[in-house]
Amino acid sequence: MGPGNRPLDLEWLEDFLALAETGNFSRAAQARSIAQPAFSRHIRSLEEWVGVDLFDRSAHPTALTAAGKRFQPLLQEVLAGLEAARIKARAAHDLAAASLSFAATHVLSLTFFPRWLASVESRLSMGPIQTISDSSYACEDLMLQRRVQFVLCHGHADAPGRLDEAQYPVRRLSDDVLVPVSTPAAGGVPLHALGGGKSPAVLAYSEASGLGRIMRAIQDIEFGKDFAASLSVVFTAHHAALLRTMALEGRGLAWLPMSLVADDLRSGALTDAGAGGWRVPVDIRLYRQQAQMAPVAEALWGLVGEAGAGS
């Protein structure tokens, strides 16, 4: 806005530069592909917006006034900046349209996601990829706020999350299993074991954890009434990776994804604290936005829908 809150038309600025260059109203109007009377009105409107005369009309050819000479280089900088802003904005839009955005839970971003992504990239040119690693609850928030296209997380039929309740499209990519694990004591037996008649020290998941939601929903159903109440929880965290570290330190047993602890079990750093039982099968799931997405995101969704795409 200028004096008196008069609006500014950007076309007037281009008209100003054309007249400053030619020094002739007729030629400047022709260069701007506009009738001369309309062109003259534009120049006068710009001068009214600035509040001073920018051209000396008594000179031949028409010349810039002192105010016009000061105005010209500053205006050229402004228009150049606007053009640069337009180019950068369009480039950012094109990049966003061509990229894929994922939110993945911490454990799957470390274990499953890199391998799965490599398998998909062998069949689809995906371009830039943005990935956010966070708790299950935070990943759900990102999807509900439409800040990501996809969410990768664990799931269970008996423990629906907010994306299930909101009926977001979902596909099962693979399976996993939560295994109770502990460091071994002398002789290789678990330092913290289930089924021994006493309450073992348990490393548990927090409320924000999707794996914690699953465990809370199914443990009494799967392992017997009041099973949860019989556990002695000594430590709580969002992240399976942190619970793994605490388990390796001998602080208790934890139900951890096989995808995370398979190497630890093979090496003997951790051992099965349930003697092959007390396991919880889970899905590895991919949720997507409900609305139409960028073509590359839709192509990815179509690809994972094919038989064996997530294996």
Side-chain angles (χ1 to χ4, degrees), residues 51-252:
V52 296
D53 287 341
L54 300 173
F55 292 96
D56 180 0
R57 292 164 174 77
S58 65
H60 299 283
T62 301
L64 290 167
T65 62
K69 291 177 181 177
R70 181 66 178 135
F71 187 67
Q72 182 182 22
L74 298 174
L75 174 57
Q76 289 170 327
E77 290 180 16
V78 168
L79 292 178
L82 285 173
E83 178 63 12
R86 184 187 71 84
I87 291 171
K88 290 178 181 179
R90 289 179 66 89
H93 173 270
D94 292 342
L95 177 61
S99 67
L100 293 169
S101 55
F102 292 86
T105 56
H106 286 287
V107 63
L108 289 178
S109 68
L110 294 172
T111 58
F112 179 82
F113 184 67
R115 173 171 51 85
W116 173 79
L117 187 63
S119 73
V120 174
E121 284 178 320
S122 69
R123 288 168 284 173
L124 177 67
S125 177
M126 295 193 290
I129 298 170
Q130 302 171 3
T131 306
I132 299 172
S133 178
D134 213 320
S135 69
S136 180
Y137 195 91
C139 290
E140 290 175 340
D141 273 344
L142 291 169
M143 177 66 87
L144 294 168
Q145 296 164 10
R146 297 184 296 279
R147 293 172 57 190
V148 295
Q149 296 160 325
F150 299 102
V151 164
L152 180 68
C153 61
H154 284 99
H156 192 283
D158 293 327
R162 289 183 293 163
L163 300 183
D164 299 302
E165 292 167 355
Q167 298 185 334
Y168 276 74
V170 58
R171 286 185 173 144
R172 177 182 173 279
L173 300 183
S174 189
D175 54 30
D176 207 343
V177 59
L178 302 182
V179 184
V181 296
S182 165
T183 50
V189 299
L191 181 62
H192 306 277
L194 291 163
K198 62 180 181 179
S199 178
V202 172
L203 311 171
Y205 295 99
S206 69
E207 293 290 327
S209 166
L211 295 178
R213 179 178 63 223
I214 292 170
M215 289 298 301
R216 287 188 294 274
I218 62 88
Q219 55 192 356
D220 282 353
I221 299 172
E222 294 291 329
F223 307 143
K225 185 180 179 182
D226 299 327
F227 174 80
S230 72
L231 301 177
S232 176
V233 176
V234 298
F235 184 81
T236 303
H238 295 344
H239 307 148
L242 178 53
L243 296 185
R244 170 183 171 271
T245 299
M246 298 298 286
L248 288 167
E249 293 291 326
R251 305 291 291 272

